[in-house]
Amino acid sequence: MSNLIRVVLADDHAVVRRGIRQFMEEAGEIAVVAEAADGEAALEAIRREKPDVAVLDIQMPRRTGIEVTRAVRNERLPVGVLVLTAYDDDPYVQAVLEAGANGYVLKNASSEEIVKAVHTVYEGQMALDPSIARKIVAHWMSAGQAPPEPLEPRPSPREMDVLRLVARGLTNKAIAAQLKISERTVQGHIASLFAKLGVNSRTEAVVRAAQLGWVSLEQTKHP
């Protein structure tokens, strides 16, 4: 159990929970330590089990996934939050990210993509469905909320290589292997990219770079 990613799974449909639990645990490296059929039970399970990742639906009785996420962040519980939902409406997207979720994946994603998202959140990174990333960029553009130009100098060719692989959802370890450099070097390039782009997370970096035309959001699809 100590080597497994411990997950609390919350969804008000028992059949959906059963299916998600089955493909998560069959993939290996993930153990669902508790299930919840409503938001209040989900929060209680998170407090009790102290999981690595909480996988939450948005619309649940008693507390929504958004409300659970806010409570988790307010209580400073050390858990990654992945919202797994059928809803891709702009207000939901905005509310989920503002509440402090680490990921937003749609239920029509493949089981492999959902498992990958759990791993990504566990590794401290943001897991964002490509369609959600496109919605964020579209919202910025329609609302006239274009981010400021990044600091000079622009990313180096090697930093751009790293950025493109970040956009594809690769972990630092995978980027290091593909570029034949150390993970420490990858971390250094990502820190430099954050400074130049004026962001604080990998997802913000990808979205900002997409808006600037440096990468395509199509690259955010899992390889």
Side-chain angles (χ1 to χ4, degrees):
M1 178 71 76
S2 60
N3 295 323
L4 298 177
I5 301 173
R6 302 174 71 254
V7 168
V8 165
L9 174 61
D11 193 293
D12 59 336
H13 293 94
V15 173
V16 172
R17 289 200 313 275
R18 189 180 310 121
I20 294 172
R21 178 172 192 153
Q22 181 175 350
F23 70 68
M24 278 186 180
E25 295 190 332
E26 285 180 351
E29 300 182 4
I30 296 175
V32 176
V33 296
E35 294 184 23
D38 63 71
E40 191 65 40
L43 185 56
E44 292 172 1
I46 292 168
R47 290 167 175 156
R48 181 182 68 251
E49 300 293 341
K50 298 178 175 57
D52 301 305
V53 178
V55 178
L56 310 174
D57 192 10
I58 287 182
Q59 290 290 6
M60 296 186 291
R62 300 174 72 191
R63 288 200 194 212
T64 67
I66 296 168
E67 291 169 335
V68 174
T69 302
R70 288 198 191 105
V72 165
R73 294 296 169 243
N74 288 339
E75 296 179 26
R76 300 184 182 278
L77 300 176
V79 56
V81 176
L82 174 64
V83 170
L84 178 60
T85 182
Y87 297 96
D88 64 350
D89 308 72
D90 291 352
Y92 283 123
V93 173
Q94 199 71 17
V96 165
L97 297 181
E98 288 177 355
N102 305 96
Y104 195 122
V105 177
L106 300 178
K107 286 182 177 176
N108 62 7
S110 69
S111 59
E112 291 81 7
E113 289 172 326
I114 295 171
V115 167
K116 181 179 176 66
V118 171
H119 280 266
T120 299
V121 169
Y122 172 70
E123 291 163 2
Q125 303 166 22
M126 179 70 84
L128 202 61
D129 190 281
S131 66
I132 300 303
R134 286 190 285 272
K135 279 181 175 289
I136 294 172
V137 172
H139 173 74
W140 277 351
M141 291 179 174
S142 64
Q145 296 177 342
E149 285 295 318
L151 302 176
E152 294 294 343
R154 291 169 65 90
S156 68
R158 178 55 91 186
E159 287 170 348
M160 286 301 299
D161 290 339
V162 171
L163 182 58
R164 292 186 189 99
L165 295 177
V166 168
R168 289 174 51 196
L170 272 67
T171 63
N172 288 359
K173 183 176 182 179
I175 292 171
Q178 183 149 332
L179 297 180
K180 295 180 172 58
I181 56 179
S182 70
E183 286 189 63
R184 184 179 295 274
T185 300
V186 172
Q187 292 169 356
H189 286 318
I190 291 176
S192 178
L193 285 165
F194 282 8
K196 291 176 180 179
L197 290 165
V199 300
N200 298 305
S201 74
R202 293 164 73 99
T203 298
E204 288 177 305
V206 171
V207 173
R208 182 71 55 85
Q211 191 175 30
L212 292 167
W214 293 354
V215 300
S216 168
L217 282 177
E218 290 301 314
Q219 293 174 284
T220 63
K221 293 180 179 178
H222 298 298

